[in-house]
Amino acid sequence: MNAHSGFNHRLRNYILKKHGSVNAFCRAVGIKYPAQMTPYLKGKCLPGKKMLERLEKDGADIDWILTGHAVGEQVSPISDALALSRYRMDIDNLLRQVRMHIGRFEERLKPAIEAYAVLDDEEKIVDLSSSIEKFLGFAPGSLAGVSLSEILHPDDYLHFKNALERQKPHEAVLMFYSRFRSGDGAWLNVEWSLSVKRKPMTDQNEYAMILRKTDNQLF
């Protein structure tokens, strides 16, 4: 099995996840004829330089699409399973969009990501919860299925809901400064970003979020 085995399935997964259809992807990246994607999606040939540039500009993780592994990952069955997760793709895409957003600032202002989580349409934590539990000081497994409203300050949750309502029904990346409840009951000042994605063939959303502590005084 070569290093690029299965790239066509990852490419299709990325396209459908982000755009919903091959035609929509082609419109977004400036491909006039969707049939041009057929050789790639059938695994008959690898994307060339121009196609890779289009994918990268669209926010795709090129390393993941071509190899199934993100940069720096050790090749193993566990990392391969993680790379194939749609949640991992959401987190990777969100990290990339945030870095692009802040790229115009000085290097010293670029944030270190300290935690991440995935929320379902009801805003409940459904996956990758261990890092946010450690970040907020909760016991392992204690935040699984917990709603965002239970760990976000009521005033900040209202601000979050208003921002979410304003962007509907479009996909977006939203950024906030909020107070999160920690394991000892205190409020922790957090800078966080939320990627809003529409689940294919549904009217429901999925959310991926990344967080870091901030020194900003929020109250």
Side-chain angles (χ1 to χ4, degrees), residues 8-89:
N8 54 316
H9 301 298
R10 292 187 292 274
L11 176 61
R12 182 180 296 276
N13 188 23
Y14 167 77
I15 289 172
L16 296 182
K17 178 64 180 176
K18 181 166 185 178
H19 296 280
S21 70
V22 175
N23 286 349
F25 166 76
C26 290
R27 288 195 297 270
V29 301
I31 296 175
K32 189 174 181 180
Y33 301 107
Q36 290 178 244
M37 294 300 299
T38 301
Y40 309 127
L41 296 175
K42 288 189 175 181
K44 293 182 177 180
C45 66
L46 288 169
K49 180 179 178 182
K50 190 171 182 180
M51 179 61 68
L52 291 176
E53 287 175 349
R54 282 176 166 143
L55 285 165
E56 187 170 18
K57 187 175 181 181
D58 190 55
D61 186 331
I62 302 302
D63 294 284
W64 178 82
I65 288 176
L66 292 180
T67 69
H69 303 279
V71 174
E73 282 186 333
Q74 182 178 359
V75 177
S76 71
I78 293 178
S79 63
D80 189 55
L82 183 60
L84 289 173
S85 163
R86 70 177 187 275
Y87 295 134
R88 175 58 186 266
M89 185 183 292

Side-chain angles (χ1 to χ4, degrees), residues 92-162:
D92 285 345
N93 285 337
L94 178 54
L95 284 168
R96 185 173 296 103
Q97 289 179 66
V98 171
R99 286 171 183 146
M100 289 175 60
H101 177 79
I102 63 178
R104 61 182 180 274
F105 298 116
E106 295 181 28
E107 183 70 25
R108 63 184 177 83
L109 297 179
K110 294 187 177 183
I113 305 307
E114 299 179 48
Y116 46 85
V118 174
L119 313 176
D120 64 11
D121 191 60
E122 297 179 346
E123 300 165 16
K124 293 181 179 179
I125 298 174
V126 294
D127 204 355
L128 301 172
S129 58
S130 59
S131 77
I132 193 173
E133 288 164 345
K134 183 177 180 180
F135 176 73
L136 296 177
F138 284 88
S142 60
L143 292 184
V146 169
S147 173
L148 183 63
S149 63
E150 297 180 52
I151 56 174
L152 197 59
H153 190 281
D155 293 341
D156 298 331
Y157 180 72
L158 180 61
H159 174 66
F160 155 74
K161 292 297 288 185
N162 288 338

Side-chain angles (χ1 to χ4, degrees), residues 161-218:
K161 292 297 288 185
N162 288 338
L164 197 62
E165 186 65 31
R166 286 195 298 271
Q167 69 84 34
K168 284 184 177 180
H170 306 291
E171 296 186 353
V173 173
L174 308 177
M175 300 187 179
F176 303 94
Y177 289 94
S178 305
R179 290 157 287 182
F180 280 75
R181 188 187 304 279
S182 63
D184 61 6
W187 294 107
L188 183 67
N189 293 343
V190 174
E191 176 185 354
W192 60 294
S193 297
L194 185 84
S195 174
V196 183
K197 295 285 186 181
R198 181 72 68 176
K199 294 178 67 174
M201 308 302 291
T202 75
D203 59 354
Q204 296 183 329
N205 285 333
E206 293 177 316
Y207 309 95
M209 66 178 184
I210 53 178
L211 311 90
R212 72 163 185 163
K213 296 176 185 177
T214 179
D215 293 329
N216 288 3
Q217 295 300 310
L218 307 181

